């Protein structure tokens, strides 16, 4: 479920009762001129969420634990969710997921249908539509005499104006319908369930200026996860619309695409090798030009799902602003660092410690049944060469691990053997800085996703971290 899904739901859920009448139309006209605010008007939209929660029809626990948007396709496909908001493309994804789960023997077969929004006493059931996309020609090209560009545009138009062209466009852009009058929808799995609503004419085209809907969804997620009140959400949306925000625009910008899910679940990045952990660690290594990179599992907080990746998605996965730092360290310090990373995997503080390291460029083996301080069994380079205690290795860590915030109250995850910054703790021996302020985990991930888009599918768990006591 994307920010746009949540934003559209919030933007449209009081459409008939408000935007569907003269008062609402007048309000939207003023809002488009920046003469109106959502505060004082749109609070009612959030009451629907409250009603759904009270009737036990909406479970927010997965969202609160996850830290970002949950994958509704999986929940629906496995029959773990009664209903979810989405398009007909989402409906088909649920069907396909369910077929996959049935074949795997992990779910029963379910039927899926699209339902309209339920109107209040004075309004019929209704649905809404979004501007999915269209193609046009820039008339200035002809005036400028740029025949080459004009010819190229016309060729593109000729291609997408055909049945096959529209089918390809719909598939790539995940559009629900074609804009060709003579388009033949041969898909036997076309959405059903909204026929009577559409026939009655209760379809609303919801349009808000700029990226307001997406930002409303972004803020709405924080309301759903308990981080902000309705008042705070609407104030943030009003401020964004009236004053703009480069940070918010970055959050809403598509920075890449993922071909599959990279799952964060049950603190898995603090317990074992994960494909998400490998992605983060490989991103750090690539971004910093370090042959070895480590990422503390506690710095990874959410899943990265298949599809378009927004700046906000990366912020959810790696929310902290700690800077990547490249250092030279002896093999003995490297082994001490790895040993320390294994000291809280038993959840002695209630949950596994965030100090557990995901790695790139090395592998290590340990025994979780052994006492703290004696769990690391071996550490090797990717080629199988043993890490030698007296040899120097170039490693990407973070300034946080190196004591930029000290080590009191769990700061720095206790990596005092890496201390370069804290004046209150002994300085590290066998560790020297090579490159500072390289960037954040988010910077590294965005760079990797854009630079190595074709390599994302190949990221997998490959035995970088092994617990010999893991059944």
């Amino acid at each position: 479920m994307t920010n746009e899904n949540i934003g559209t739901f919030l933007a449209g859920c009081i459409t008939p009762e408000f935007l569907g009448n003269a008062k609402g139309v007048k309000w939207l006209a003023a809002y488009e001129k920046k003469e109106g605010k959502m505060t004082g008007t749109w609070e009612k939209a959030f009451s629907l969420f409250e009603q759904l929660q009270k009737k036990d029809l909406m479970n927010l626990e997965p969202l609160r634990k996850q830290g970002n948007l949950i994958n509704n396709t999986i929940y629906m496909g496995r029959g773990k969710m009664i209903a979810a908001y989405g398009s007909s493309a989402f409906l088909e994804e649920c069907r396909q997921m369910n077929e996959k789960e049935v074949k795997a023997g992990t779910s029963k077969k379910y039927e899926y249908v699209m339902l309209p929004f339920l109107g209040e006493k004075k309004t019929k059931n209704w649905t809404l539509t979004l501007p999915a996309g269209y193609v046009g020609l820039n008339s200035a090209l002809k005036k400028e005499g740029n025949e080459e560009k004009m010819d190229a545009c016309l060729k593109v138009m000729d291609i997408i104006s055909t049945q096959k062209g529209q089918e390809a466009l719909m598939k790539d852009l995940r559009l629900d319908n074609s804009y060709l009058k003579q388009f033949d929808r041969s898909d036997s799995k076309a959405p059903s369930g909204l026929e009577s609503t559409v026939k009655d004419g209760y379809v609303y085209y919801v349009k808000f200026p700029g990226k307001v809907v997406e930002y409303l969804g972004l803020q709405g997620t924080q309301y759903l996860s308990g981080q902000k009140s309705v008042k705070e959400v609407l104030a943030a949306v009003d401020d964004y619309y009236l004053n703009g925000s480069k940070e918010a625009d970055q959050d809403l910008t598509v920075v890449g695409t993922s071909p599959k899910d990279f799952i964060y679940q049950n603190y898995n990045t603090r317990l074992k090798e994960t494909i998400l952990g490998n992605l983060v660690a490989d991103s750090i290594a690539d971004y910093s030009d370090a042959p070895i990179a480590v990422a503390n599992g506690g710095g990874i907080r959410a899943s990265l799902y298949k599809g378009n990746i927004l700046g906000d998605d990366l912020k959810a996965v790696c929310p902290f602003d700690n800077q990547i730092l490249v250092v030279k360290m002896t093999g003995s310090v490297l082994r001490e660092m790895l040993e320390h990373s294994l000291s809280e995997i038993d959840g002695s503080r209630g949950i596994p410690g965030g100090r557990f390291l995901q790695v790139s460029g090395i592998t290590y083996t340990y025994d979780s049944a052994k006492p703290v301080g004696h769990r690391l069994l071996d550490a090797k380079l990717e080629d199988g060469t043993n890490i030698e205690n007296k040899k120097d290795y170039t490693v990407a860590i973070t300034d946080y691990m190196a004591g930029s915030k000290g080590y009191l109250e769990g700061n720095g995850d206790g990596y005092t053997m890496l201390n370069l910054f804290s004046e209150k703790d002994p300085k590290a021996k066998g560790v020297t800085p090579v490159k500072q302020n390289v960037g954040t985990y988010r910077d590294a991930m965005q760079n990797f996703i854009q630079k190595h888009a074709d390599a994302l599918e190949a990221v997998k768990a490959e035995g970088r971290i092994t617990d010999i006591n893991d059944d």
Side-chain angles (χ1 to χ4, degrees), residues 7 32 66 137 141 182 217 220 271-272 279 298 334 378 400 445:
E32 289 176 337
Q66 183 67 12
L137 294 176
L141 290 176
Q182 304 302 321
L271 291 168
K272 60 183 180 181
L279 174 62
L334 198 161
D378 67 55
Y400 175 76
M445 288 187 71

Side-chain angles (χ1 to χ4, degrees), residues 140-159:
L141 290 176
K142 193 170 184 179
K143 292 179 181 178
E144 293 168 1
N146 197 326
E147 297 297 331
E148 187 177 346
K149 284 188 178 181
M150 178 60 77
D151 287 343
C153 289
L154 288 172
K155 287 179 181 178
V156 172
M157 290 288 284
D158 287 340
I159 293 172

Side-chain angles (χ1 to χ4, degrees), residues 6-22:
I6 293 177
T8 305
F9 185 88
L10 287 168
C13 70
I14 60 173
T15 292
E17 291 78 26
F18 182 62
L19 288 185
N21 60 39

